[in-house]
Amino acid sequence: MLKHLLIEVIGHASGLSDAQLEQIEQSLPATRALIDLFNKAHPIIEQAQALYNEAQPLIDEARIEWQAVGPAAQILIEVISHHLNKGSSPAQAAEVVRAALGGSMKSVAQDRGMGQAMNRVTVFGGTGFVGRRVVRHLSDSTVTVRIASRHPARTEGDNVEQIVADAHDERSIEAAIAGADGVINAISLYLEHGGDTYHSVHVEAAARIANAARRAGTKRFVHLSGIGADAASRSPYIRSRGEGEAAVQAAFPGAVVIRPAVMFAPDDTFLTTILGLLRTLPAYPLFGDGRTRLQPVHVDDVAAAIAQVLRQPQRPYPIYELAGPRIYSYEELLRTIARTAGLRPALVRIPFAFWHAVAGLGEILPHPPLTRNQVELMQIDTTASGSRPGFAALGISPRSLEEQLKAMLKPTNEEIQNAKEARTR
């Protein structure tokens, strides 16, 4: 075979005789053996190519399935690793995860909402900071919105309903979900009190709602979490967010997780608090060295994205990260807010240990100005990873903080100017 190859490839080009080619062949035993091996392998290679061609459609289908199941599996691995690192045995770690998920594990994810209209949607936490805005976005369409809350508030719109529901009570959850095509869990807890703990709300209640939605045949389930959620975090708040995502995606295959960055609005406790302190304090205390990175997002943009995920006919991604158009360091953010408000504050760096102590004392108050989970969140970057879909995938352009801040400050600035003019008269 080698002689034939040499004749075909080399002989005709070089003009060497057969005898000369045979002599070359004798001096290349390893090359001859390699070519003989390739000849033997040729049928196997052809068979492998045929098997690959046969497997290609299955590979494509599996890739689609893992777009939904993969994130849940990754989160579950993080949860188990966290408990193993704490010294638990594999059996104990598995039991913790099993308890958190209520024993509900599915191996195949299906989106029952594809191509089907949403006629009725239940929003748990529909009276909250994000939830009430989601209700408004949905009620602007033909969807009937049912607000499920322990403390119903006055609603507007002919297609908005109220129902009293407790996320810790399975029967009231089932009643709130009955007949709903879509379910949104927008319940969040920022300060533990009484029986409401981060784990009971973000993990147990979230899994309970997701389980009930699956049993009721709900077409689509959307769960509000947050950028920075981490099942392996030492922070109880951040860890509960990550474990809650795992619980929901395991209880309701195909559930969509929404992870917003720090949210702002004219009625928030973030931007308005910073503004108030900048105007009041002679020196503004920074969290640590002020280098923590944030990507603030307007809460109305997050609400619009949640409504879009719920209504779109195509299969949504399993996780969306929603962040504003600009990343700031904490110090840059403060200076931007101050500059827009016409202020020139002195910024003082304060260690995080001090903030933890202050927050711990503040939580004794009925309405604490600062909580430990807020301090913990300020110790990590809350920016979009870039590896997850976000606003662009939903056709939404998030508004900038500066533009919204100017709109918020315009009446105040006009009042200040009028007061100055009145004093000069």
Side-chain angles (χ1 to χ4, degrees):
M1 181 66 188
L2 178 60
K3 179 178 178 179
H4 176 73
L5 179 65
L6 289 172
I7 291 173
E8 292 295 329
V9 178
I10 301 175
H12 295 303
S14 63
L16 295 175
S17 65
D18 289 352
Q20 290 172 318
L21 291 174
E22 288 178 0
Q23 188 176 2
I24 293 175
E25 178 185 1
Q26 295 299 323
S27 65
L28 299 172
T31 302
R32 178 177 180 177
L34 182 60
I35 291 177
D36 288 342
L37 185 60
F38 283 155
N39 288 332
K40 293 178 182 178
H42 186 69
I44 300 175
I45 294 172
E46 287 186 336
Q47 185 180 9
Q49 182 63 46
L51 289 173
Y52 177 79
N53 293 337
E54 184 179 344
Q56 187 62 49
L58 296 175
I59 293 172
D60 293 338
E61 291 178 18
R63 184 181 293 114
I64 294 172
E65 291 176 352
W66 275 93
Q67 284 179 347
V69 178
Q74 180 179 352
I75 295 171
L76 286 175
I77 290 170
E78 291 174 355
V79 173
I80 294 172
S81 298
H82 168 71
H83 288 286
L84 289 176
N85 291 336
K86 288 172 62 178
S88 302
S89 68
Q92 289 172 323
E95 184 58 34
V96 170
V97 174
R98 190 178 299 111
L101 305 182
S104 176
M105 278 295 297
K106 299 293 176 182
S107 60
V108 179
Q110 296 177 345
D111 181 7
R112 290 167 284 188
M114 276 184 57
Q116 302 183 44
M118 292 283 155
N119 298 314
R120 186 183 301 276
V121 174
T122 297
V123 182
F124 286 87
T127 59
F129 182 58
V130 181
R132 67 177 183 269
R133 289 173 165 88
V134 174
V135 169
R136 187 174 69 245
H137 278 278
L138 289 172
S139 62
D140 288 342
S141 62
T142 58
V143 176
T144 298
V145 185
R146 180 185 292 158
I147 300 174
S149 175
R150 283 191 291 187
H151 308 290
R154 187 173 63 87
T155 61
E156 298 180 2
D158 297 333
N159 57 337
V160 178
E161 305 172 347
Q162 288 271 7
I163 186 169
V164 178
D166 186 345
H168 301 301
D169 180 65
E170 195 159 336
R171 288 188 178 180
S172 68
I173 291 174
E174 291 173 349
I177 289 175
D181 301 303
V183 173
I184 299 170
N185 176 29
I187 299 175
S188 296
L189 182 70
Y190 297 100
L191 181 64
E192 295 180 315
H193 52 84
D196 287 333
T197 66
Y198 296 137
H199 191 270
S200 72
V201 173
H202 294 154
V203 183
E204 295 174 359
R208 194 175 295 116
I209 295 170
N211 264 312
R214 175 180 52 79
R215 291 194 303 269
T218 301
K219 299 172 185 176
R220 188 163 289 172
F221 187 91
V222 179
H223 174 71
L224 182 66
S225 182
I227 287 180
D230 182 2
S233 173
R234 291 179 297 177
S235 162
Y237 175 82
I238 298 173
R239 182 171 65 251
S240 70
R241 281 300 204 181
E243 291 179 340
E245 292 182 0
V248 165
Q249 290 186 318
F252 191 105
V256 180
V257 172
I258 301 294
R259 292 176 178 170
V262 175
M263 292 177 281
F264 65 89
D267 61 336
D268 66 10
T269 57
F270 172 68
L271 202 54
T272 53
T273 300
I274 291 176
L275 265 173
L277 292 175
L278 284 170
R279 286 172 171 154
T280 305
L281 300 176
Y284 192 98
L286 285 172
F287 284 99
D289 59 10
R291 295 182 183 179
T292 303
R293 300 194 309 156
L294 304 91
Q295 200 170 353
V297 61
H298 199 291
V299 65
D300 280 322
D301 293 334
V302 174
I306 292 173
Q308 177 64 12
V309 165
L310 199 74
R311 290 184 302 215
Q312 68 182 19
Q314 66 269 32
R315 184 193 299 274
Y317 291 96
I319 297 176
Y320 290 84
E321 291 184 343
L322 304 180
R326 180 180 169 186
I327 297 175
Y328 307 81
S329 70
Y330 184 57
E331 183 176 351
E332 288 172 343
L333 177 64
L334 291 176
R335 294 194 183 282
T336 299
I337 295 171
R339 184 171 59 253
T340 306
L343 304 171
R344 294 182 178 180
L347 303 181
V348 181
R349 291 173 171 78
I350 304 294
F352 277 105
F354 172 83
W355 288 113
H356 276 284
V358 170
L361 292 173
E363 288 178 3
I364 300 173
L365 303 174
H367 302 287
L370 182 69
T371 64
R372 280 171 291 184
N373 78 71
Q374 289 174 320
V375 176
E376 289 163 351
L377 284 171
M378 285 304 302
Q379 291 182 265
I380 63 172
D381 293 340
T382 50
T383 61
S385 65
S387 61
R388 302 283 189 188
F391 284 114
L394 299 169
I396 297 174
S397 297
R399 62 199 85 181
S400 73
L401 181 140
E402 289 94 327
E403 291 175 358
Q404 295 306 301
L405 188 58
K406 289 176 183 176
M408 288 168 54
L409 292 170
K410 187 176 181 181
T412 304
N413 290 338
E414 288 179 352
E415 290 171 4
I416 294 172
Q417 184 62 33
N418 292 336
K420 288 180 179 179
E421 291 175 357
R423 286 196 296 270
T424 58
R425 289 171 186 168

